Amino acid sequence: MASMILLARYAECIFWLARYVERAENLARILDVQETFSRDTRGQQNWRSVIQINSDEARFEDRFGKEFTPETVIQFYVTDPTNPTSIQSSIRAARENARTLRPLISTEMWSQLNIFYNRLRELPPSAASPHRLSSLCAWIKEACQAHTGITEGTFYRDQGWYFYQLGRLIERADQTTRIVDIKYHHLLPSVADIGTPADVAQWNALLRSAAGYHAYRRKHPSGMRPELVAGFLLLDDFFPRSVRSCVQEADRLLTELRSRFAVRGGSAALETLDELRALLGGKTIRDVMRSGLHEFNDMIQLQLGGVGSDLAHDFFGGALQDLAGAA
Amino acid sequence: MSALAGYDPGALWCELLGGAERRQHTDVARHLDAFSLDELRNRAVAAERELYNLGITFTVYSEKDAIDRILPFDLIPRVLTADEWTHLERGVIQRVTALNAFIHDIYHDRKILKDGVVPADLVLGNANYRPEMVGVNVAHNTYVHVCGIDLVRDESGQFLVLEDNARTPSGVSYVIENRHMMQRAFPELFKGTGVRPVDSYGPKLLAAMLDIAPSHVADPRIVLLSPGVFNSAYFEHIFLAREMGVPLVEGRDLVILNDHVFMKTTAGLAPVHAIYRRIDDNFLDPKAFLPTSMLGVPGLFEAYKKGNVALANAVGTGAADDKAVYAYLPRIIKYYLDEDAILPNVETHICREADGLAYTLANLDQLVVKPVGESGGYGIVIGPKASRAELDQMRAKLIADPANFISQPVVGLSVSPTLTDDGIRPRHVDLRPFAITGRDTWVLPGGLTRVALKKGSLVVNSSQGGGSKDTWVLEA
């Protein structure tokens, strides 16, 4: 068992490594779908909505003022090294975590992230222009997926693997709630648009951004209805990016981690995940809509945040800090 | 077409072709000669890109960003014959044995000081002498678990010791990564040539760590202690942790309870029994040494003194590897082992001794003068290349503080064929073999060959434009 222990700091780094890559991938997805949305008459407003969704108004305005153009928003979120929420910053953070973790992760994991970051860093600002956005996002998504694939294929399945997966799933669930929120927050209020061809195209785009278009078609061949799409993204049992799938998987992994590696912590996080799991399994999308979709998303995000801090306390050194303080 | 056309080492010893008297074209030289310069350049570019992508780099941190740089890599190997290696290996083992005996003595009976072989003030007044180590016993009386000895070669091909590194010598990761790189980038060159492998360094180091761990522990846990990602040698720390299969920890990951060392894990505290530390003595423990150190572990030295944890290298080895003590190494070897040094020093004049100072002052324009406390090639004055004003300045410093200097003749350092913008040209090289000592001493076949990439330059340090080469020890 001597080799099966995991340094608390490594657990934290691997958790965040996974989160940052997942975050970058989802931001690429959001920008991609936003570009599709923005082809309608409210295009300008839509670009602003991405900033709002991520609560980045103040930071954005410091840099670009009130210029919510496609160019500025894309630059802000893709190539801006000074914006901590840009894709470049996320991948830099992922790579810095990976640098710390190099004794633990496979050489291939490190090398791919290293090359990915260096290419991102070398992108000229002009690379983030609207007409190139789609191919740029496709490249970023692929690089993130390559990372996930290399990890799946090369990373040793000890504790580190569990913390990696937990980070990825928690981030993914959080991001899915944000993708759903974008659409509802800013497009649905216009009642006149519901069911119009432009609207259907946007729902298609939303599903595509979550890589769920084909899966949705199989589940709901009858048509594209906003509440069904939201239900699919939040509550579907089989779709790998749905909040419910992510929570179920995280719950299973944490249970397994605790039983296989004789770690004592994690009970608070597990309790929250159990609750979330029951909640997501027991509700229909109609229930959710009745009590407010946005509020529901907010509540999920809050709970997921709680899981993150519980893990930090129990596994990443928080509890040890308490102990050292007492000693 | 031939790559070696125009290569002329002149009167110097060539590491590929031998001495000026009798140049020899070995298999390696013939294989090399068959390549075009363009092909060599393409491969060199590809190899350096690969080093960069693999992150075999040292990192320069600025305020805003982390910039990764590779140690420039020359893909023409430096070749040592089996006989040359046998000689080097014996010499390195002898030197490491004497260093360990010397360090044990200066922290115990101080016989060598009492006998007047080495001036007592030179050792006891040394900034790196640790009075805290007096009377502390270490396993197998080994202090220098990892030793890097810098060697050069003169016109006749004789190896001479330039410097001992007995604290935390670095560079071994490049020895092994350079080999892997060569095997990928230049497989043709290995054809028909048996080269001794370098892959066992990690297991040998781990074995030495197990040798020195407290003997009552059945299944000791080893860790590598690094200052962290901001250290320029961080890649090497990663590399060695991986090769040994042990966790890389930082000071903040360790905690001392009741004079025992523990690491913070996801499952609570886990005991640690031996630490390969890549942190200098000063920063190791703010309670024992530099109080402002944020890198160390408070209480570590007390746990060490009580024998609850082993450290490699031991605390206090710096008193043995500076340039002042270096000058006495031939006498130290004779004193403890009653043998002559197998690897002689470069002829060294000790300026604290009247003869040495007089000789140095009389021949200043012919000598290299080195301050004894500096490393990395700083503060050195090379007589034949110095201006009148620089020599006068040096003379004044020598007279003011002779004990701070040694002087050596200018050695016509050996060269190795190196790929440059002008084609393959001779460039000066040195060699740092690495020795690991737990119970016994083992020397990694080969070592780090550093090359001064600038034409005519004698300084091989990476901080001053040096690169590295793969070092081949041929099988018998």
Side-chain angles (χ1 to χ4, degrees):
Chain A
M1 282 297 278
S3 65
M4 298 305 259
I5 62 164
L6 180 67
L7 205 59
R9 187 165 52 82
Y10 282 4
E12 182 169 25
C13 286
I14 195 81
F15 179 81
W16 281 101
L17 165 62
R19 286 197 78 154
Y20 279 121
V21 175
E22 187 68 26
R23 191 174 289 178
E25 180 182 340
N26 278 282
L27 187 48
R29 290 177 181 283
I30 288 174
L31 292 175
D32 199 13
V33 72
Q34 201 61 36
E35 199 269 332
T36 316
F37 283 178
S38 69
R39 287 182 196 141
D40 76 359
T41 49
R42 290 190 313 275
Q44 290 304 102
Q45 186 204 327
N46 289 344
W47 283 107
R48 184 177 194 151
S49 76
V50 184
I51 303 280
Q52 289 169 334
I53 273 297
N54 289 298
S55 315
D56 279 335
E57 290 105 319
R59 212 170 5 234
F60 181 86
E61 287 175 21
D62 274 357
R63 182 111 165 72
F64 295 103
K66 301 270 180 197
E67 294 275 310
F68 295 100
T69 65
E71 285 80 6
T72 56
V73 174
I74 293 169
Q75 196 187 325
F76 182 70
Y77 276 130
V78 180
T79 53
D80 191 344
T82 65
N83 170 23
T85 60
S86 73
I87 288 173
Q88 191 191 115
S89 295
S90 286
I91 297 303
R92 181 175 60 227
R95 175 175 172 270
E96 284 309 302
N97 277 297
R99 186 204 294 282
T100 298
L101 290 163
R102 280 177 71 183
L104 189 73
I105 63 179
S106 67
T107 306
E108 289 156 57
M109 283 171 72
W110 158 257
S111 173
Q112 189 263 346
L113 265 179
N114 194 29
I115 294 169
F116 182 22
Y117 171 68
N118 284 325
R119 286 202 186 137
L120 264 178
R121 201 175 50 140
E122 284 156 15
L123 284 179
S126 63
S129 64
H131 71 281
R132 292 197 199 129
L133 182 63
S134 195
S135 61
L136 182 63
C137 288
W139 169 67
I140 292 167
K141 277 188 287 186
E142 269 180 32
C144 293
Q145 288 168 334
H147 161 79
T148 318
I150 289 168
T151 305
E152 196 280 329
T154 63
F155 193 34
Y156 192 60
R157 297 298 198 268
D158 59 5
Q159 285 189 55
W161 167 254
Y162 285 81
F163 285 103
Y164 176 88
Q165 292 282 77
L166 284 169
R168 197 165 63 85
L169 291 163
I170 287 168
E171 182 67 27
R172 182 181 284 181
D174 179 85
Q175 292 291 337
T176 298
T177 63
R178 287 173 201 273
I179 287 186
V180 172
D181 235 21
I182 289 192
K183 181 67 182 174
Y184 265 86
H185 220 181
H186 295 280
L187 294 184
L188 205 61
S190 174
V191 178
D193 281 350
I194 295 175
T196 63
D199 189 53
V200 169
Q202 289 179 357
W203 285 106
N204 285 346
L206 181 72
L207 277 168
R208 284 184 206 279
S209 81
Y213 178 76
H214 289 286
Y216 176 87
R217 280 291 183 206
R218 278 164 64 192
K219 176 140 183 189
H220 300 293
S222 55
M224 200 60 67
R225 299 226 310 276
E227 74 275 15
L228 289 184
V229 173
F232 181 77
L233 292 175
L234 296 176
L235 306 177
D236 192 83
D237 209 2
F238 301 103
F239 178 56
R241 310 190 80 81
S242 81
V243 176
R244 184 178 176 196
S245 290
C246 293
V247 166
Q248 278 177 349
E249 184 62 4
D251 189 297
R252 184 186 73 74
L253 283 161
L254 184 53
T255 308
E256 202 171 289
L257 169 75
R258 281 157 50 93
S259 70
R260 287 180 78 174
F261 297 95
V263 294
R264 288 183 297 279
S267 56
L270 196 59
E271 211 168 288
T272 311
L273 284 171
D274 282 342
E275 278 169 28
L276 269 178
R277 183 182 178 155
L279 181 77
L280 290 160
K283 274 204 194 288
T284 66
I285 189 64
R286 256 173 236 288
D287 303 332
V288 172
M289 293 288 190
R290 234 188 330 265
S291 51
L293 181 65
H294 178 63
E295 289 71 16
F296 184 77
N297 283 327
D298 260 3
M299 183 272 293
I300 303 265
Q301 285 166 21
L302 214 64
Q303 298 273 64
L304 291 172
V307 172
S309 17
D310 287 339
L311 292 176
H313 178 270
D314 289 3
F315 295 121
F316 305 161
L320 292 165
Q321 224 58 52
D322 301 348
L323 189 145
Chain B
M1 274 307 281
S2 75
L4 284 168
Y7 175 77
D8 177 16
L12 299 171
W13 184 272
C14 171
E15 297 294 340
L16 188 63
L17 307 176
E21 305 290 307
R22 199 161 56 92
R23 304 284 186 208
Q24 294 181 340
H25 279 257
T26 57
D27 282 353
V28 180
R30 273 192 294 276
H31 287 314
L32 179 66
D33 206 25
F35 278 84
S36 72
L37 279 177
D38 281 347
E39 178 63 21
L40 289 177
R41 290 201 173 105
N42 288 340
R43 293 197 190 196
V45 168
E48 292 208 333
R49 190 172 51 227
E50 197 173 327
L51 289 173
Y52 184 66
N53 286 339
L54 285 171
I56 301 171
T57 48
F58 58 95
T59 307
V60 182
Y61 280 87
S62 69
E63 230 163 86
K64 282 171 72 179
D65 211 353
I67 300 155
D68 290 331
R69 297 199 196 290
I70 57 166
L71 180 63
F73 174 67
D74 183 76
L75 81 181
I76 302 173
R78 187 262 187 87
V79 182
L80 297 166
T81 65
D83 287 346
E84 286 169 340
W85 181 250
T86 306
H87 170 71
L88 283 176
E89 192 178 37
R90 282 177 52 233
V92 168
I93 291 173
Q94 181 196 51
R95 202 157 173 111
V96 170
T97 307
L99 280 169
N100 277 313
F102 175 66
I103 299 169
H104 182 264
D105 190 18
I106 62 176
Y107 291 119
H108 289 83
D109 300 338
R110 297 179 180 168
K111 275 188 264 176
I112 198 166
L113 308 182
K114 288 172 191 158
D115 289 343
V117 176
V118 177
D121 69 298
L122 192 72
V123 173
L124 304 180
N126 190 310
N128 294 307
Y129 183 80
R130 300 282 165 206
E132 300 87 343
M133 282 297 289
V134 171
V136 176
N137 290 313
V138 298
H140 314 296
N141 289 339
T142 299
Y143 290 79
V144 187
H145 306 90
V146 177
C147 191
I149 294 175
D150 290 348
L151 300 163
V152 295
R153 215 165 176 189
D154 65 15
E155 292 92 336
S156 70
Q158 178 175 224
F159 285 99
L160 305 167
V161 178
L162 196 62
E163 188 173 298
D164 302 292
N165 295 280
R167 281 171 269 182
T168 49
S170 65
V172 73
S173 57
Y174 293 102
V175 176
I176 298 154
E177 290 290 359
N178 285 353
R179 175 64 52 80
H180 292 163
M181 176 55 59
M182 279 298 287
Q183 285 166 335
R184 286 192 297 266
F186 220 165
E188 297 93 334
L189 219 53
F190 289 86
K191 210 160 53 186
T193 302
V195 179
R196 291 186 59 185
V198 291
D199 288 311
S200 52
Y201 188 85
K204 290 284 186 187
L205 182 54
L206 181 67
M209 296 305 297
L210 293 169
D211 274 353
I212 64 167
S215 52
H216 61 274
V217 180
D219 184 14
R221 180 173 289 115
I222 318 293
V223 299
L224 184 149
L225 176 61
S226 164
V229 293
F230 295 103
N231 188 274
S232 63
Y234 184 65
F235 165 71
E236 178 151 303
H237 306 165
I238 295 165
F239 176 88
L240 291 172
R242 263 195 331 227
E243 291 292 307
M244 287 194 283
V246 306
L248 182 156
V249 304
E250 296 176 20
R252 57 187 157 139
D253 298 317
L254 299 180
V255 60
I256 312 290
L257 294 174
N258 302 322
D259 298 327
H260 285 77
V261 185
F262 296 87
M263 63 190 272
K264 301 173 186 171
T265 80
T266 54
L269 298 178
V272 170
H273 306 105
I275 301 175
Y276 179 45
R277 48 100 172 201
R278 295 293 298 253
I279 295 182
D280 290 345
D281 287 356
N282 260 333
F283 296 96
L284 206 51
D285 176 354
K287 276 189 183 169
F289 307 110
L290 204 63
T292 50
S293 170
M294 304 292 282
L295 302 172
V297 189
L300 178 58
F301 188 65
E302 199 56 37
Y304 175 61
K305 276 203 322 198
K306 292 217 158 82
N308 295 328
V309 68
L311 294 174
N313 288 356
V315 173
T317 56
D321 79 347
D322 80 357
K323 292 189 182 73
V325 174
Y326 157 88
Y328 292 88
L329 240 290
R331 303 179 203 175
I332 291 172
I333 291 170
K334 187 83 188 165
Y335 182 79
Y336 293 110
L337 308 179
D338 196 24
E339 295 169 8
D340 292 324
I342 296 168
L343 296 171
N345 277 7
V346 174
E347 178 193 325
T348 301
H349 308 282
I350 301 169
C351 298
R352 66 185 292 137
E353 294 178 354
D355 291 358
L357 179 63
Y359 182 86
T360 303
L361 290 172
N363 297 281
L364 204 50
D365 57 345
Q366 299 299 318
L367 296 171
V368 181
V369 184
K370 300 177 174 181
V372 293
E374 303 285 334
S375 68
Y378 293 101
I380 292 179
V381 171
I382 299 171
K385 295 193 175 180
S387 68
R388 185 68 176 266
E390 285 169 322
L391 289 178
D392 287 345
Q393 220 175 1
M394 191 70 245
R395 186 181 305 277
K397 282 189 196 168
L398 272 166
I399 292 164
D401 185 13
N404 192 37
F405 296 94
I406 57 168
S407 72
Q408 295 168 334
V410 179
V411 177
L413 292 194
S414 65
V415 291
S416 177
T418 301
L419 189 59
T420 73
D421 290 344
D422 304 325
I424 294 183
R425 293 292 177 267
R427 290 291 181 266
H428 294 296
V429 292
D430 77 349
L431 177 68
R432 176 182 290 182
F434 289 89
I436 293 175
T437 310
R439 209 180 299 270
D440 311 299
T441 299
W442 172 83
V443 190
L444 176 68
L448 179 64
T449 293
R450 296 183 298 178
V451 51
L453 295 171
K454 271 186 284 183
K455 187 176 178 180
S457 170
L458 295 169
V459 186
V460 294
N461 302 68
S462 60
S463 53
Q464 298 194 38
S468 76
K469 287 168 167 286
D470 190 13
T471 309
W472 288 11
V473 174
L474 301 182
E475 283 167 352

